[in-house]
Amino acid sequence: GPFVIDVRGSMVNVGQDPDLAANRGLGPSQLPAWGLGLDVGGHVYVFSWRVVTFGVGASALFTGPSRTPGENDPAAGGPTVTTRFTAFSPQLSFNFGDGDGWSYLSGGIGTSRLSVFIEQETEPPQRRARTLNYGGGARWFARPGLAFSFDVRLYAISPLDQTDTEPGSPRMTRVAVSVGVSIK
């Protein structure tokens, strides 16, 4: 078909960056390092040239792990800290293979929001940052229209200056490893 839709579970590195933690009055060990997330996206294949099929599409990633220091060591206690990461990006993809399965390289420039906060009723405001996302993966079709999908993606997040109401963030790169299904 001329399109594919992906739904995958992800392991996302949200990091324990010292600068990110310090801007929020926290220590790096108080932040979660990894979290489970959801990666959804779709691509439309517009044309082929030799062995490459070119596609355009978009992807979105969502994760929100929490960490309570001292869960395993009560003497080290502290508040529960949540790191919520969302990213959205249009993408251009280069696909290699046939209808039974293919590998791809893709990337795009979009935005992301990385919020780090101590557990509370509402999430504090945090601006979106320009984010370059790039990576690759593969799809293997077990039967017509349904595939096993694997993707590794990097998110290069631009720095944000601190404002009167929002903390700043350093330049960071986050990694997501995703596994799921593709439908075409």
Side-chain angles (χ1 to χ4, degrees):
F3 70 92
V4 69
I5 296 170
D6 298 306
V7 178
R8 298 181 282 245
S10 296
M11 271 303 284
V12 183
N13 166 257
V14 291
Q16 293 180 315
D17 187 279
D19 293 331
L20 182 68
N23 286 344
R24 287 145 179 88
L26 301 168
S29 64
Q30 291 179 278
L31 277 58
W34 290 87
L36 294 176
L38 177 67
D39 175 22
V40 295
H43 282 265
V44 175
Y45 302 107
V46 291
F47 70 94
S48 294
W49 181 69
R50 298 189 183 202
V51 298
V52 180
T53 299
F54 296 87
V56 293
S59 71
L61 177 72
F62 309 92
T63 189
S66 296
R67 183 172 191 292
T68 303
E71 286 176 316
N72 298 323
D73 178 10
T80 298
V81 176
T82 299
T83 298
R84 187 159 292 135
F85 180 60
T86 60
F88 175 78
S89 178
Q91 292 183 347
L92 175 63
S93 66
F94 305 95
N95 302 273
F96 312 91
D98 59 31
D100 293 328
W102 64 88
S103 57
Y104 60 88
L105 298 172
S106 64
I109 297 175
T111 63
S112 68
R113 177 178 291 134
L114 182 65
S115 300
V116 176
F117 54 96
I118 294 174
E119 188 174 53
Q120 56 194 31
E121 287 186 28
T122 60
E123 180 178 345
Q126 178 66 54
R127 294 163 290 155
R128 296 191 74 77
R130 181 180 304 272
T131 303
L132 170 65
N133 104 36
Y134 55 96
R139 298 176 180 99
W140 298 277
F141 284 84
R143 60 182 202 198
L146 185 64
F148 170 77
S149 176
F150 176 78
D151 185 86
V152 177
R153 191 142 308 274
L154 287 93
Y155 295 86
I157 306 166
S158 296
L160 290 173
D161 292 330
Q162 186 163 331
T163 69
D164 292 339
T165 58
E166 297 173 8
S169 295
R171 179 176 310 279
M172 297 175 280
T173 299
R174 297 295 178 244
V175 177
V177 178
S178 305
V179 176
V181 297
S182 296
I183 301 164
K184 73 171 181 171

mmCIF file of all heavy atoms in Angstrom, residues 52-74:
data_model
loop_
_atom_site.group_PDB
_atom_site.id
_atom_site.type_symbol
_atom_site.label_atom_id
_atom_site.label_comp_id
_atom_site.label_asym_id
_atom_site.label_seq_id
_atom_site.Cartn_x
_atom_site.Cartn_y
_atom_site.Cartn_z
ATOM 1 N N VAL A 52 15.315 3.049 -3.661
ATOM 2 C CA VAL A 52 14.813 3.847 -2.542
ATOM 3 C C VAL A 52 13.373 4.292 -2.805
ATOM 4 O O VAL A 52 13.062 4.797 -3.875
ATOM 5 C CB VAL A 52 15.693 5.101 -2.315
ATOM 6 C CG1 VAL A 52 15.169 5.918 -1.156
ATOM 7 C CG2 VAL A 52 17.136 4.731 -2.092
ATOM 8 N N THR A 53 12.527 4.102 -1.794
ATOM 9 C CA THR A 53 11.176 4.652 -1.827
ATOM 10 C C THR A 53 11.142 5.798 -0.824
ATOM 11 O O THR A 53 11.527 5.632 0.334
ATOM 12 C CB THR A 53 10.128 3.588 -1.450
ATOM 13 O OG1 THR A 53 10.196 2.521 -2.398
ATOM 14 C CG2 THR A 53 8.727 4.174 -1.453
ATOM 15 N N PHE A 54 10.694 6.964 -1.277
ATOM 16 C CA PHE A 54 10.666 8.166 -0.450
ATOM 17 C C PHE A 54 9.291 8.308 0.194
ATOM 18 O O PHE A 54 8.267 8.116 -0.459
ATOM 19 C CB PHE A 54 10.987 9.406 -1.277
ATOM 20 C CG PHE A 54 12.371 9.402 -1.831
ATOM 21 C CD1 PHE A 54 12.646 8.785 -3.043
ATOM 22 C CD2 PHE A 54 13.404 9.989 -1.135
ATOM 23 C CE1 PHE A 54 13.929 8.760 -3.558
ATOM 24 C CE2 PHE A 54 14.697 9.976 -1.634
ATOM 25 C CZ PHE A 54 14.965 9.354 -2.846
ATOM 26 N N GLY A 55 9.288 8.632 1.476
ATOM 27 C CA GLY A 55 8.036 8.810 2.198
ATOM 28 C C GLY A 55 8.027 10.104 2.984
ATOM 29 O O GLY A 55 9.072 10.651 3.325
ATOM 30 N N VAL A 56 6.836 10.599 3.245
ATOM 31 C CA VAL A 56 6.640 11.759 4.124
ATOM 32 C C VAL A 56 5.623 11.351 5.177
ATOM 33 O O VAL A 56 4.714 10.566 4.917
ATOM 34 C CB VAL A 56 6.165 13.017 3.364
ATOM 35 C CG1 VAL A 56 7.238 13.522 2.425
ATOM 36 C CG2 VAL A 56 4.872 12.762 2.622
ATOM 37 N N GLY A 57 5.790 11.875 6.368
ATOM 38 C CA GLY A 57 4.875 11.514 7.438
ATOM 39 C C GLY A 57 5.137 12.318 8.684
ATOM 40 O O GLY A 57 5.716 13.406 8.633
ATOM 41 N N ALA A 58 4.736 11.754 9.810
ATOM 42 C CA ALA A 58 4.911 12.419 11.103
ATOM 43 C C ALA A 58 4.981 11.356 12.189
ATOM 44 O O ALA A 58 4.505 10.234 12.014
ATOM 45 C CB ALA A 58 3.752 13.369 11.372
ATOM 46 N N SER A 59 5.583 11.742 13.313
ATOM 47 C CA SER A 59 5.635 10.843 14.463
ATOM 48 C C SER A 59 5.423 11.647 15.739
ATOM 49 O O SER A 59 5.702 12.846 15.795
ATOM 50 C CB SER A 59 6.970 10.097 14.532
ATOM 51 O OG SER A 59 8.006 10.982 14.896
ATOM 52 N N ALA A 60 4.923 10.954 16.759
ATOM 53 C CA ALA A 60 4.732 11.558 18.080
ATOM 54 C C ALA A 60 5.189 10.555 19.133
ATOM 55 O O ALA A 60 4.953 9.354 18.993
ATOM 56 C CB ALA A 60 3.272 11.926 18.290
ATOM 57 N N LEU A 61 5.845 11.054 20.163
ATOM 58 C CA LEU A 61 6.352 10.226 21.256
ATOM 59 C C LEU A 61 5.862 10.810 22.572
ATOM 60 O O LEU A 61 5.899 12.034 22.758
ATOM 61 C CB LEU A 61 7.882 10.199 21.243
ATOM 62 C CG LEU A 61 8.560 9.435 22.376
ATOM 63 C CD1 LEU A 61 8.369 7.929 22.188
ATOM 64 C CD2 LEU A 61 10.035 9.768 22.449
ATOM 65 N N PHE A 62 5.413 9.930 23.488
ATOM 66 C CA PHE A 62 4.919 10.351 24.791
ATOM 67 C C PHE A 62 5.504 9.450 25.868
ATOM 68 O O PHE A 62 5.461 8.231 25.740
ATOM 69 C CB PHE A 62 3.385 10.217 24.854
ATOM 70 C CG PHE A 62 2.666 10.869 23.721
ATOM 71 C CD1 PHE A 62 2.360 10.139 22.575
ATOM 72 C CD2 PHE A 62 2.304 12.202 23.782
ATOM 73 C CE1 PHE A 62 1.698 10.733 21.514
ATOM 74 C CE2 PHE A 62 1.647 12.796 22.724
ATOM 75 C CZ PHE A 62 1.338 12.070 21.590
ATOM 76 N N THR A 63 6.035 10.046 26.946
ATOM 77 C CA THR A 63 6.489 9.284 28.110
ATOM 78 C C THR A 63 6.411 10.181 29.340
ATOM 79 O O THR A 63 6.472 11.407 29.216
ATOM 80 C CB THR A 63 7.914 8.721 27.929
ATOM 81 O OG1 THR A 63 8.213 7.836 29.001
ATOM 82 C CG2 THR A 63 8.962 9.816 27.882
ATOM 83 N N GLY A 64 6.288 9.578 30.510
ATOM 84 C CA GLY A 64 6.196 10.360 31.738
ATOM 85 C C GLY A 64 6.607 9.580 32.973
ATOM 86 O O GLY A 64 5.819 9.416 33.893
ATOM 87 N N PRO A 65 7.854 9.082 33.023
ATOM 88 C CA PRO A 65 8.277 8.298 34.188
ATOM 89 C C PRO A 65 8.454 9.155 35.438
ATOM 90 O O PRO A 65 8.694 10.357 35.359
ATOM 91 C CB PRO A 65 9.614 7.712 33.744
ATOM 92 C CG PRO A 65 10.140 8.710 32.763
ATOM 93 C CD PRO A 65 8.923 9.244 32.043
ATOM 94 N N SER A 66 8.320 8.496 36.581
ATOM 95 C CA SER A 66 8.531 9.146 37.884
ATOM 96 C C SER A 66 9.573 8.357 38.658
ATOM 97 O O SER A 66 9.779 7.172 38.412
ATOM 98 C CB SER A 66 7.231 9.167 38.688
ATOM 99 O OG SER A 66 6.265 9.948 38.038
ATOM 100 N N ARG A 67 10.206 9.043 39.604
ATOM 101 C CA ARG A 67 11.193 8.385 40.470
ATOM 102 C C ARG A 67 11.045 8.944 41.869
ATOM 103 O O ARG A 67 10.968 10.158 42.063
ATOM 104 C CB ARG A 67 12.600 8.639 39.967
ATOM 105 C CG ARG A 67 13.669 7.914 40.780
ATOM 106 C CD ARG A 67 15.039 8.046 40.100
ATOM 107 N NE ARG A 67 16.035 7.189 40.653
ATOM 108 C CZ ARG A 67 16.571 7.289 41.862
ATOM 109 N NH1 ARG A 67 16.164 8.223 42.674
ATOM 110 N NH2 ARG A 67 17.509 6.460 42.260
ATOM 111 N N THR A 68 11.001 8.040 42.833
ATOM 112 C CA THR A 68 10.985 8.430 44.241
ATOM 113 C C THR A 68 12.290 7.961 44.858
ATOM 114 O O THR A 68 12.458 6.764 45.100
ATOM 115 C CB THR A 68 9.786 7.801 44.983
ATOM 116 O OG1 THR A 68 8.585 8.185 44.316
ATOM 117 C CG2 THR A 68 9.737 8.264 46.429
ATOM 118 N N PRO A 69 13.246 8.876 45.087
ATOM 119 C CA PRO A 69 14.500 8.459 45.720
ATOM 120 C C PRO A 69 14.204 7.823 47.073
ATOM 121 O O PRO A 69 13.335 8.274 47.807
ATOM 122 C CB PRO A 69 15.283 9.761 45.884
ATOM 123 C CG PRO A 69 14.714 10.666 44.854
ATOM 124 C CD PRO A 69 13.248 10.288 44.761
ATOM 125 N N GLY A 70 14.888 6.742 47.354
ATOM 126 C CA GLY A 70 14.703 6.070 48.621
ATOM 127 C C GLY A 70 13.686 4.945 48.565
ATOM 128 O O GLY A 70 13.376 4.361 49.591
ATOM 129 N N GLU A 71 13.144 4.635 47.375
ATOM 130 C CA GLU A 71 12.200 3.521 47.269
ATOM 131 C C GLU A 71 12.844 2.230 47.770
ATOM 132 O O GLU A 71 12.201 1.424 48.425
ATOM 133 C CB GLU A 71 11.746 3.327 45.826
ATOM 134 C CG GLU A 71 10.785 4.392 45.365
ATOM 135 C CD GLU A 71 10.423 4.244 43.905
ATOM 136 O OE1 GLU A 71 11.332 3.992 43.088
ATOM 137 O OE2 GLU A 71 9.233 4.396 43.589
ATOM 138 N N ASN A 72 14.133 2.055 47.476
ATOM 139 C CA ASN A 72 14.855 0.856 47.905
ATOM 140 C C ASN A 72 15.736 1.125 49.117
ATOM 141 O O ASN A 72 16.289 0.205 49.690
ATOM 142 C CB ASN A 72 15.711 0.310 46.756
ATOM 143 C CG ASN A 72 14.846 -0.092 45.575
ATOM 144 O OD1 ASN A 72 13.747 -0.598 45.751
ATOM 145 N ND2 ASN A 72 15.339 0.151 44.380
ATOM 146 N N ASP A 73 15.905 2.397 49.477
ATOM 147 C CA ASP A 73 16.745 2.780 50.612
ATOM 148 C C ASP A 73 16.043 3.924 51.348
ATOM 149 O O ASP A 73 16.228 5.092 51.002
ATOM 150 C CB ASP A 73 18.131 3.222 50.111
ATOM 151 C CG ASP A 73 19.038 3.672 51.250
ATOM 152 O OD1 ASP A 73 18.684 3.464 52.429
ATOM 153 O OD2 ASP A 73 20.110 4.229 50.942
ATOM 154 N N PRO A 74 15.228 3.639 52.355
ATOM 155 C CA PRO A 74 14.455 4.669 53.052
ATOM 156 C C PRO A 74 15.309 5.812 53.606
ATOM 157 O O PRO A 74 14.832 6.927 53.730
ATOM 158 C CB PRO A 74 13.761 3.908 54.180
ATOM 159 C CG PRO A 74 13.738 2.484 53.721
ATOM 160 C CD PRO A 74 14.966 2.303 52.879
#
